Amino acid sequence: MINKSKKFKDNFKFHNYFNKYKIGEGSDRIVYEYDTNKVIKYAKNKRGIIQNINEYKMSIKQKGKNRKIIPLIYYIDKNNKYLIMEKVNCFDKINIDKNECKEFKFFYEKILEIKHLTYIKPLNYKEAFLFLKKYNIEYILTDDLMWGDFLKLQNWGINSKNEFVHLDGGTFSKPSLVKYK
């Protein structure tokens, strides 16, 4: 039996309208093209809502910084169900060879090296902090940083200013379902 609640109808209308603009999907969110410069990240479940919240918090954290680590967020709805953010050309989607982007190649290889050393000894926060400070993104280095997601090449891209940015702001804050249980 189809759920005829207002919530279901609103979700159905949203997906029905935007489905033709769908450009990606993960386990918790769907990404739609909003226009040539923006995307919508729509939460499919409670974890997606938490990721939207975390991404929005990261955007606030990086305000006033010279270097942004995640794309610009223009809007988040009052229920945190979707957010509208800057569209970024993803490395794996447009086939950008990371070797052509020397700054990113150096950054990415150094981060891999720092993380690889943590398998041998504990993370040298001072070394990581000083390296990230060169890029004005030292503020991302917290205990909540999810290294696995941070290091996935598919989570990186180039924004309209030709800066490399991370596409998944949820990476910088471990999700907590406590509030949503």
Side-chain angles (χ1 to χ4, degrees):
M1 182 169 170
I2 295 177
N3 181 349
K4 301 212 184 227
S5 71
K6 179 175 176 7
K7 184 177 178 182
F8 176 82
K9 286 179 186 175
D10 290 346
N11 286 343
F12 182 76
K13 284 180 192 174
F14 184 91
H15 290 294
N16 202 24
Y17 178 78
F18 280 104
N19 201 38
K20 59 187 168 207
Y21 303 109
K22 183 174 165 182
I23 56 175
E25 184 171 1
S27 57
D28 303 313
R29 298 189 289 180
I30 303 171
V31 181
Y32 300 98
E33 184 174 84
Y34 183 71
D35 63 27
T36 56
N37 300 314
K38 297 178 186 113
V39 296
I40 295 174
K41 287 190 176 178
Y42 184 84
K44 299 191 302 187
N45 53 39
K46 290 175 184 175
R47 284 180 47 93
I49 289 171
I50 292 165
Q51 289 170 16
N52 282 347
I53 293 167
N54 289 343
E55 203 151 8
Y56 184 70
K57 283 179 181 176
M58 175 54 79
S59 77
I60 291 170
K61 194 174 188 179
Q62 71 181 9
K63 271 190 180 170
K65 306 283 186 194
N66 291 339
R67 177 75 167 87
K68 313 289 192 244
I69 191 66
I70 65 168
L72 179 64
I73 294 179
Y74 299 103
Y75 176 79
I76 186 165
D77 82 308
K78 65 181 180 183
N79 298 316
N80 306 305
K81 192 77 174 163
Y82 69 91
L83 53 83
I84 298 174
M85 67 189 313
E86 173 185 22
K87 186 176 181 183
V88 172
N89 293 318
C90 182
F91 277 127
D92 71 331
K93 295 255 177 71
I94 61 170
N95 209 10
I96 294 176
D97 181 0
K98 72 178 170 102
N99 295 322
E100 291 174 13
C101 183
K102 289 182 177 158
E103 182 186 15
F104 179 75
K105 182 178 189 278
F106 173 78
F107 172 83
Y108 192 73
E109 287 175 354
K110 182 65 176 175
I111 290 295
L112 286 173
E113 178 186 318
I114 289 170
K115 184 55 186 158
H116 176 71
L117 291 175
T118 65
Y119 295 115
I120 302 165
K121 60 183 182 178
L123 177 65
N124 182 337
Y125 277 97
K126 184 176 181 183
E127 179 186 3
F129 178 83
L130 291 173
F131 174 71
L132 294 172
K133 191 170 176 63
K134 290 179 188 175
Y135 290 90
N136 294 314
I137 57 171
E138 68 279 2
Y139 57 91
I140 69 165
L141 192 60
T142 69
D143 290 335
D144 288 337
L145 179 64
M146 295 187 289
W147 282 97
D149 289 341
F150 186 70
L151 295 174
K152 284 182 187 170
L153 187 58
Q154 71 216 32
N155 284 340
W156 290 94
I158 302 289
N159 69 10
S160 60
K161 295 177 183 174
N162 248 6
E163 300 169 323
F164 57 89
V165 291
H166 200 275
L167 304 178
D168 186 3
T171 295
F172 304 102
S173 181
K174 290 180 181 157
S176 169
L177 290 175
V178 174
K179 181 179 173 184
Y180 289 95
K181 283 189 177 178

